[in-house]
Amino acid sequence: MMYRAFAALSFASVVLGQQVGTVTAEKHPSLPIEVCTKAGSCKKESTEVTLDSNWRWTHATSGYTNCYTGSSWNATACPDGKTCAANCALDGAEYAKTYGITTPSTGALKLNFVTKNDNGANVGSRVYLMASASKYRMFNLLNKEFTLDVDVSKLPCGLNGAVYFSEMDEDGGLSKYKTNKAGAKYGTGYCDAQCPSDIKFINGEANVEGWGGADGNSGAGKYGTCCSEMDIWEANLDATAYTPHPCKVSSQTRCEGADCGNGDDRYNGLCDKDGCDFNSFRMGNKDFYGTGKTVDTSKPFTVVTQFHTVDGTDNGALKSIHRFYVQGGKVIPNSVSQIEGIDEANALSDDFCKQQKTAFGDNNHFAQLGGMAAMGKSLKKMVLVLSVWDDYAVSMNWLDSNFPTDADTSKPGVGRGRCDPEAGVPKTVEAAHPDASVIYSNIKLGAINSTFKAS
């Protein structure tokens, strides 16, 4: 993702912790996937999801006192990062009641945007796919295709239903950091290419130092948490993009200072925050994706993403990333670029990314950090992330509106969607669309051209 600033913590003052609490038992919702060797030959895998730790209630190990309230740490329990990790316990989640996370049918996951609960309301969520009760399901995407069905018919402008892969540790950092007693079971160890500093605990320690409140329910600390990220699906009713983000590091890494790539250091950081994106609207086809468009977002459809290697093997270097859709039994190829200076292309490759960056006048940090080859190395060990969120940083304008908002809209690359720039202001979208939701279903991984049917 180009810009991610999750302010989607529950108003109940939930926060990530490192010890394990016993107030609420943790029961992961089931979300089985399928693994396919060839078309029509798929086997079901019993997988489940866990809620990200940043959304969970954390309290003193000796009772019910919050370790974090509003946008502030409990000074007594958390005078420093290590002490806080020892004093605070992370509890189980009531997925449907508190967070609006449900499984309406086998193999389907529904994420509500705003969920009223006993403590107020929860906004957004982020979950990870688990192979077992204590380990994330690891993916090697090279020479494979990843497929899922999406329903964004109730996901308006300003929101993002995001499905992506992050290079997280299989156990959530449990074995690396002795102060992390919760591990993957409780959704620890998050990282992405934005090197987010709003994560409360990183490397088994609280991100207390330098913490400041960004809004009423979240903040940012001295440290960020970085890793390579492959955005499969970032979308709402009006716009979508898929984007690889390579990094200099090969696993979850805590950053500080310039390495986090904040502000003027954006292109000096460990990760490519911009990535190389394919957004059909931005690439010149304004009638490809949306309500009543070629891909009709008023109805569910299938999203297929293929990762081709130079030698056609699971260990080969990544060459290109291809996208197409299936809707109503019909295969819909990805739209073709209509931007001058970019060869007719509907897939991501090093050549495409170079031409796109030149045409749009963007910094090619993607190439500087190794491009497709670097991204491919990370794709061998990825964790699947499914989420819904609103954007406290730039109101999701980078996805579905004009960005930068003060740029000349006639300049190539500025327009990313038809949405009003003000539609994604968090206070506006949370008040106007609390009933928004997204549904992900029928997740499959398999050999190229094995995971879908079409007439």
Side-chain angles (χ1 to χ4, degrees):
M1 300 178 186
M2 286 191 181
Y3 292 83
R4 182 187 284 113
F6 282 103
L9 298 175
S10 165
F11 296 155
S13 300
V14 296
V15 61
L16 180 148
Q18 297 304 116
Q19 307 301 310
V20 176
T22 58
V23 177
T24 301
E26 176 66 12
K27 185 177 181 180
H28 296 149
S30 173
L31 186 66
I33 66 171
E34 291 186 69
V35 178
C36 309
T37 54
K38 59 182 179 180
S41 180
C42 301
K43 291 185 178 180
K44 186 173 290 187
E45 194 174 297
S46 297
T47 45
E48 52 196 36
V49 295
T50 188
L51 179 68
D52 180 284
S53 301
N54 239 37
W55 269 257
R56 294 174 182 268
W57 174 43
T58 294
H59 53 84
T61 55
S62 59
Y64 298 88
T65 302
N66 288 341
C67 285
Y68 182 92
T69 303
S71 57
S72 302
W73 292 95
N74 181 318
T76 301
C78 299
D80 60 73
K82 290 184 179 180
T83 302
C84 188
N87 288 341
C88 298
L90 173 68
D91 235 295
E94 293 182 306
Y95 283 81
K97 180 180 178 181
T98 302
Y99 301 99
I101 300 170
T102 58
T103 51
S105 60
T106 301
L109 179 72
K110 182 179 181 181
L111 303 180
N112 287 343
F113 176 44
V114 178
T115 302
K116 293 183 179 180
N117 54 51
D118 294 341
N119 299 296
N122 176 75
V123 181
S125 60
R126 183 168 65 213
V127 301
Y128 310 120
L129 193 72
M130 306 286 290
S132 66
S134 60
K135 290 186 176 181
Y136 296 130
R137 205 289 188 184
M138 304 304 293
F139 286 77
N140 179 0
L141 297 169
L142 290 176
N143 195 38
K144 297 288 192 298
E145 67 184 20
F146 178 81
T147 296
L148 79 160
D149 293 349
V150 297
D151 185 345
V152 293
S153 62
K154 295 183 179 179
L155 203 65
C157 289
L159 296 184
N160 190 337
V163 177
Y164 57 104
F165 289 93
S166 286
E167 199 174 9
M168 298 162 60
D169 290 331
E170 184 178 27
D171 64 0
L174 187 70
S175 59
K176 278 186 180 178
Y177 308 109
K178 294 181 179 180
T179 48
N180 181 351
K181 306 298 183 183
K185 181 177 180 178
Y186 292 87
T188 69
Y190 182 69
C191 56
D192 67 42
Q194 302 306 313
C195 300
S197 57
D198 62 342
I199 304 302
K200 304 300 187 296
F201 279 74
I202 304 173
N203 291 10
E205 299 179 6
N207 198 10
V208 173
E209 188 175 351
W211 189 267
D215 61 78
N217 300 287
S218 70
K222 174 182 178 180
Y223 300 108
T225 178
C226 309
C227 66
S228 296
E229 170 188 358
M230 177 64 223
D231 293 325
I232 296 286
W233 182 250
E234 296 194 276
N236 54 40
L237 263 172
D238 194 74
T240 186
Y242 75 103
T243 313
H245 299 265
C247 296
K248 296 178 183 177
V249 294
S250 58
S251 62
Q252 182 274 324
T253 302
R254 188 171 72 175
C255 70
E256 62 178 297
D259 281 347
C260 295
N262 296 324
D264 293 339
D265 288 316
R266 185 172 185 83
Y267 301 111
N268 297 319
L270 296 177
C271 295
D272 174 24
K273 294 192 173 188
D274 291 357
C276 175
D277 66 301
F278 196 109
N279 173 328
S280 293
F281 191 99
R282 193 179 188 216
M283 297 311 300
N285 191 331
K286 300 181 179 181
D287 294 314
F288 181 74
Y289 180 91
T291 302
K293 306 297 183 182
T294 303
V295 177
D296 185 357
T297 57
S298 68
K299 305 172 184 177
F301 51 91
T302 301
V303 182
V304 182
T305 311
Q306 298 179 336
F307 298 87
H308 292 264
T309 57
V310 294
D311 60 1
T313 71
D314 295 358
N315 292 309
L318 181 65
K319 179 182 180 181
S320 55
I321 307 173
H322 298 247
R323 161 61 50 81
F324 58 91
Y325 304 87
V326 183
Q327 189 172 45
K330 177 184 177 183
V331 174
I332 305 171
N334 194 26
S335 63
V336 175
S337 170
Q338 298 178 10
I339 302 297
E340 184 177 353
I342 302 178
D343 296 338
E344 286 193 10
N346 63 354
L348 297 177
S349 66
D350 284 331
D351 286 344
F352 170 87
C353 296
K354 180 180 179 180
Q355 292 175 5
Q356 185 210 58
K357 298 292 186 180
T358 299
F360 292 164
D362 294 339
N363 186 309
N364 195 356
H365 203 207
F366 178 77
Q368 294 165 18
L369 294 190
M372 287 291 166
M375 191 70 240
K377 292 178 180 179
S378 296
L379 292 181
K380 295 180 180 180
K381 47 187 176 70
M382 288 291 206
V383 173
L384 178 62
V385 186
L386 305 105
S387 68
V388 64
W389 59 289
D390 57 352
D391 184 358
Y392 273 73
V394 290
S395 304
M396 216 67 74
N397 294 155
W398 60 269
L399 175 67
D400 62 18
S401 188
N402 297 321
F403 190 79
T405 55
D406 59 353
D408 181 356
T409 56
S410 65
K411 180 184 176 183
V414 172
R416 289 108 187 284
R418 290 169 288 270
C419 296
D420 186 322
E422 299 299 315
V425 174
K427 288 184 179 180
T428 299
V429 72
E430 289 169 18
H433 302 287
D435 57 346
S437 64
V438 62
I439 300 175
Y440 308 118
S441 60
N442 299 321
I443 296 173
K444 298 180 182 180
L445 175 75
I448 300 294
N449 297 328
S450 70
T451 63
F452 65 96
K453 295 182 194 176
S455 58

